[in-house]
Every structure is written in structure tokens, then in C-alpha cells.
Amino acid sequence: MNHPDSTPPGKLGTLTVRPLDPASDAALVHGWVTHSKAAFWLMGEAELQDVEREYREIAAHPHHDAFIGLHDGEPAFLIERYDPTEVELKGLYEAEPGDVGMHFLVAPTDTPVHGFTRAVITAVMEFLFADPSVRRVVVEPDVTNSAVQALNKAVGFEVLREIAKPEKDALLSACTREQFEVATGGTDR
């Protein structure tokens, strides 16, 4: 599923997705993940070479991949997709067939657009559910990240329980295809 995907154009523009290239995208992503608004990404002190190494490892991993999201053709967000039975949540929850894990990060901006982050998470979910084998998206936001918890709820995520990960206490949450469609009015908007 490494092909570009897009959401229908709307008042917020067109959102598309392309694979992240660790070499050519490292400087861009470094600026995003080290920004103070990306504190929950846990890479605030990362050097450029750390970011490039991290995304080379993700690119080489058979159960983890990363994408750059574009807003009207310009890089605007980051997506990581992973198999939660192999990465991030391995052994920490009761996996179901068709589960996929996700992280997303909207690029920092001095000119935020109302509704943009919600449009991004909706596009990310549409991107993930475009794969017919995906039945449920699971996430593990930090228990103190109320902003992303609200976004998750808005697109249909349900908190399953709190879990302890090595780097954080997290709220294990899941969203089925049906929950997403009910929360957002369906993927054919």
C-alpha cells in the first residue's frame, strides 16, 4: 500500500500521502519532530542524523513504514503505520485480526488553520482503511496528551485501557472501520 492516496478536495484543500524517503525527507521531518509542539513524539533532542537513522530503520523494518502527508502538494504531516503485534504494542494488548497501529504528526505552523488537524486525522484513517485487510486502527497516545485524545474520539476511537510502555503511560485506544464511518459520516464524503 505504498501508492499515493488522497481525500476529496474541500475547503481545506487536498490531502495526499506518499512514502517517506529517509534521505531526502530527514531534514524536513527533523524540523517537525524536534519542534516544541511535537513533545509527545519524544524526539525533541534528536539530531538530524538520529532522525535519518530512525526513518531508515523504519523503512527497513518489515512491520513498520512511514509516509509524508501533503496539503495541496506541500509536506504537512507525518504518518507511521505499524503492525502492533510486532512493533510498539507487541505483548501489551489482545490483538485482533486486521489490526494496524498508527502515529501521526501535523507539521508545526505559525498560521494554523481551524479544522486542519481533524481533517488530517480523518485523511490518515481513510488512508489506513483503504487497505481492505485493515479492520481496526489501534493507537497508544500518552495519557497526558488530551489534544490527541479529543481528536481520536472525534474520529471514532474508544479508549480500551491504560497501559505502561517503556517510554510512557499510554491510553490504548481502538477504532473499527464501522466506528470511524459512524463518527465521520463515512469515507465517501
Side-chain angles (χ1 to χ4, degrees):
M1 194 169 128
N2 286 338
H3 58 75
D5 193 21
S6 66
T7 61
K11 67 178 183 174
L12 295 177
T14 301
L15 301 176
T16 54
V17 175
R18 66 162 172 80
L20 183 147
D21 180 299
S24 62
D25 291 325
L28 172 72
V29 172
H30 177 262
W32 295 355
V33 301
T34 58
H35 193 278
S36 61
K37 292 181 180 176
F40 290 108
W41 209 256
L42 304 176
M43 293 186 80
E45 301 297 318
E47 298 292 334
L48 176 59
Q49 63 268 25
D50 300 327
V51 172
E52 184 173 351
R53 180 173 44 255
E54 174 75 12
Y55 285 96
R56 282 191 188 283
E57 288 172 7
I58 288 171
H61 198 289
H63 303 288
H64 199 171
D65 47 12
F67 303 88
I68 295 291
L70 307 169
H71 175 236
D72 292 337
E74 293 299 318
F77 57 101
L78 174 63
I79 305 169
E80 290 183 13
R81 175 180 63 184
Y82 62 89
D83 178 343
T85 65
E86 298 292 334
V87 179
E88 292 285 346
L89 293 168
K90 186 176 182 175
L92 294 177
Y93 87 114
E94 303 74 37
E96 294 183 8
D99 279 0
V100 66
M102 176 269 289
H103 298 136
F104 84 103
L105 176 68
V106 175
T109 180
D110 293 330
T111 55
V113 174
H114 180 73
F116 185 71
T117 303
R118 184 164 175 176
V120 167
I121 193 172
T122 301
V124 169
M125 296 293 285
E126 289 172 347
F127 172 69
L128 295 171
F129 283 129
D131 179 343
S133 72
V134 172
R135 296 181 53 209
R136 185 171 79 156
V137 178
V138 294
V139 293
E140 22 67 47
D142 191 290
V143 295
T144 64
N145 191 343
S146 57
V148 85
Q149 291 166 30
L151 283 167
N152 287 347
K153 184 176 181 178
V155 296
F157 279 94
E158 174 184 2
V159 174
L160 302 178
R161 69 175 190 280
E162 190 171 321
I163 59 172
K165 294 186 68 201
E167 74 282 8
K168 66 183 178 184
D169 290 329
L171 285 183
L172 177 66
S173 304
C175 181
T176 64
R177 185 181 300 273
E178 294 75 23
Q179 287 169 310
F180 173 67
E181 290 173 357
V182 166
T184 62
T187 57
D188 295 324
R189 291 174 289 119

